[in-house]
Amino acid sequence: MKIGIDKIGFYTPNYVLDLTALAHARGDEPEKYTLGIGQSQQAVVPNDEDVVTMGVNAAQSILTDEDRAAIDMVIFATESGIDNSKSAAVYAQKLLNLSEFSRTIELKQACYAGTFGLMQARDYVTLHPERRVLVIASDIARYGLATPGEVTQGAGAIAMVVASAPKILAINSDSVYMSRDVADFWRPVDREEALVDGHLSTDVYKEMFLTLWQRYQKATQHVLDDFAGFAFHLPYTKMGKKALDQIMAEATPVQQTRLATNLTASQVYSRQVGNLYTGSVYLSLLSLLSHATDLVAGEDLAVFSYGSGAEAELYSVTLQDNFADYVPKTMTDALLAKRQLVSVTEYEKIFQSQLYDSHVDAHTQAGADAKTAQFLGWQGGERQ
Ligand code: CAA
């Protein structure tokens, strides 16, 4: 029985920062951002959006009545959630008009948690093929103004419906995975911005990919020529190239060209949005499905998921018949095309207003009352 991604949807806010403008403002050469790191634009999140609204918008774009009737589990992966106790999935369940008779849970392990959610969904549907699971991966990546990580910020959400007889791709049972306690990236509970040892994180990512690729080959006997393309977690687009370059020599020359071309296809959307943390690897997959011109049903793609701290997983998926008919390329392109550019000054103002320190009244009665009123507003369903 095939289980996998039946639908996939994407959402990013309507505001975007041009990274050449940011480079000028920071006194950097624009080519460092656009070529050296491989990012052109970055999503800017306005004050009335968060991981819940982004995740709900991503899901809203793909759910049918048939899905709503069959979904009895909502898995919400995020590392930038809105509450330290209540799951973002509970809000999503309500805002999406899903059945109350469903399980809801939030998962956290940096950028990796979306993959854990997907695998849990796959296993659950294997046991209950008539049911479906909604997996949402939604995040706001914040490092701080004028920090080295600033150019790799971003935001957005991916939503996926996991089902039997999936329309887009089947998830194969060939995962290899690993976890290791590494201090490459973390976010203490009193901070909105992540702390990161950027160069260490890049090295750990590369090393875990290489280790898992070798383990995967041993376990499955697959070689690089078996894959039509790779979808990598893309904190910045150059990261995927750094990882793949380590093993590229194992492919035939024709295959090297194909993998490089399809790596470029997988980077198109991330280059315009930035890092989505949990959703990033699935935005890369969506981009690959949307922009590769040579994919054929029955072929396999490799997926590499990495989350700092650190945990990684490598697995393959198989393209289903007529998969291209169900890839929302037109919708995704339209979403990106309609965004409004914000200036560096506007971006900085929005960014500053979202830091904990800016909520100076958060611990006063007035601040608490405002937060309660906002919360009750959500309860009343006004949040959509
Ligand atoms: N023209 C072209 N290229 C240029 C250039 C120019 N004028 N100037 C510099 N470059 C190149 C550099 O040669 C370098 O290329 P290589 O990496 O191929 O050597 C690249 O631009 C970046 O330059 P630096 O290494 O000097 O950049 P930096 O020190 O300012 O930081 C960074 C880069 C470490 C990625 C930083 O942006 C960062 O910390 N980002 C956040 C952490 C991150 O994304 N880590 C990724 C792995 S962790 C992960 O995947 C989980 C997650 O989502 C966070």
Side-chain angles (χ1 to χ4, degrees):
M1 186 176 37
K2 289 174 182 164
I3 311 288
I5 299 175
D6 189 61
K7 299 192 183 72
I8 182 168
F10 169 62
Y11 177 80
T12 189
N14 201 34
Y15 302 96
V16 64
L17 175 68
D18 175 58
L19 293 182
T20 296
L22 184 67
H24 288 309
R26 299 291 177 252
D28 288 327
E29 289 177 6
E31 293 75 19
K32 174 178 174 183
Y33 293 13
T34 56
L35 300 175
I37 288 177
Q39 293 301 127
S40 305
Q41 296 178 318
Q42 176 173 114
V44 174
V45 185
N47 284 339
D48 59 355
E49 294 194 59
D50 58 31
V51 294
V52 173
T53 60
M54 292 193 300
V56 166
N57 277 315
Q60 196 82 275
S61 72
I62 54 171
L63 290 184
T64 60
D65 289 346
E66 196 187 342
D67 292 324
R68 285 192 165 81
I71 288 171
D72 72 347
M73 189 185 289
V74 183
I75 299 177
F76 201 116
T78 184
E79 56 178 302
S80 45
I82 60 166
D83 194 282
N84 287 327
S85 171
K86 184 169 171 177
S87 153
V90 179
Y91 296 110
Q93 179 219 41
K94 177 180 177 187
L95 294 171
L96 291 164
N97 295 319
L98 296 172
S99 166
E100 283 190 350
F101 299 103
S102 47
R103 288 185 174 134
T104 49
I105 195 78
E106 182 173 313
L107 298 179
K108 179 176 70 183
Q109 175 33 56
C111 309
Y112 167 74
T115 297
F116 190 91
L118 194 63
M119 293 304 163
Q120 289 297 302
R122 191 266 321 266
D123 292 351
Y124 179 72
V125 176
T126 302
L127 275 178
H128 305 284
E130 75 290 357
R131 301 185 194 168
R132 296 180 193 176
V133 178
L134 175 62
V135 179
I136 294 175
S138 179
D139 269 304
I140 300 171
R142 284 197 192 97
Y143 293 94
L145 301 180
T147 61
E150 183 179 35
V151 63
T152 65
Q153 294 175 155
I158 287 282
M160 294 173 280
V161 174
V162 175
S164 56
K167 294 191 193 68
I168 300 178
L169 48 84
I171 301 170
N172 298 318
S173 294
D174 59 0
S175 280
V176 289
Y177 36 81
M178 65 189 292
S179 309
R180 185 191 299 152
D181 185 6
V182 184
D184 61 331
F185 172 109
W186 66 103
R187 186 168 68 84
V189 286
D190 59 348
R191 287 182 67 97
E192 287 280 321
E193 321 97 295
L195 299 172
V196 64
D197 181 340
H199 291 282
L200 173 65
S201 69
T202 299
D203 289 347
V204 178
Y205 180 121
K206 282 173 60 182
E207 199 267 320
M208 282 198 168
F209 172 66
L210 194 55
T211 301
L212 287 184
W213 172 246
Q214 287 161 356
R215 195 172 172 83
Y216 181 83
Q217 280 186 301
K218 221 178 245 178
T220 65
Q221 309 303 314
H222 277 303
V223 294
L224 203 45
D225 284 15
D226 293 339
F227 296 100
F230 275 71
F232 284 98
H233 168 56
L234 294 178
Y236 53 98
T237 66
K238 180 82 152 304
M239 189 70 245
K241 177 171 163 37
K242 282 175 186 275
L244 188 59
D245 279 352
Q246 298 180 106
I247 61 169
M248 204 55 139
E250 296 173 21
T252 58
V254 174
Q255 174 70 356
Q256 287 187 8
T257 306
R258 186 180 195 200
L259 289 177
T261 303
N262 285 347
L263 182 69
T264 303
S266 77
Q267 295 165 330
V268 174
Y269 290 148
S270 296
R271 188 181 290 278
Q272 301 172 62
V273 177
N275 195 353
L276 305 194
Y277 287 162
T278 48
S280 193
V281 59
Y282 298 102
L283 183 60
S284 166
L285 182 61
L286 175 61
S287 187
L288 176 59
L289 294 169
S290 301
H291 297 99
T293 54
D294 62 356
L295 300 180
V296 175
E299 286 191 305
D300 286 346
L301 306 174
V303 180
F304 179 68
S305 180
Y306 175 81
S308 288
E311 187 161 357
E313 183 156 344
L314 178 67
Y315 65 97
S316 75
V317 295
T318 303
L319 296 167
Q320 300 300 288
D321 288 347
N322 306 318
F323 68 93
D325 295 347
Y326 303 98
V327 175
K329 179 177 189 307
T330 310
M331 192 164 68
T332 307
D333 290 346
L335 181 76
L336 294 174
K338 77 175 175 60
R339 296 179 301 168
Q340 293 173 28
L341 271 179
V342 297
S343 67
V344 174
T345 309
E346 287 166 326
Y347 144 74
E348 288 175 340
K349 211 169 146 193
I350 294 169
F351 190 99
Q352 294 283 21
S353 74
Q354 292 169 351
L355 301 181
Y356 285 143
D357 289 351
S358 70
H359 305 308
V360 284
D361 66 349
H363 302 295
T364 65
Q365 191 54 46
D369 288 349
K371 284 227 167 282
T372 303
Q374 186 186 30
F375 178 76
L376 292 174
W378 299 349
Q379 293 291 297
E382 291 162 22
R383 200 151 184 254
Q384 258 172 322

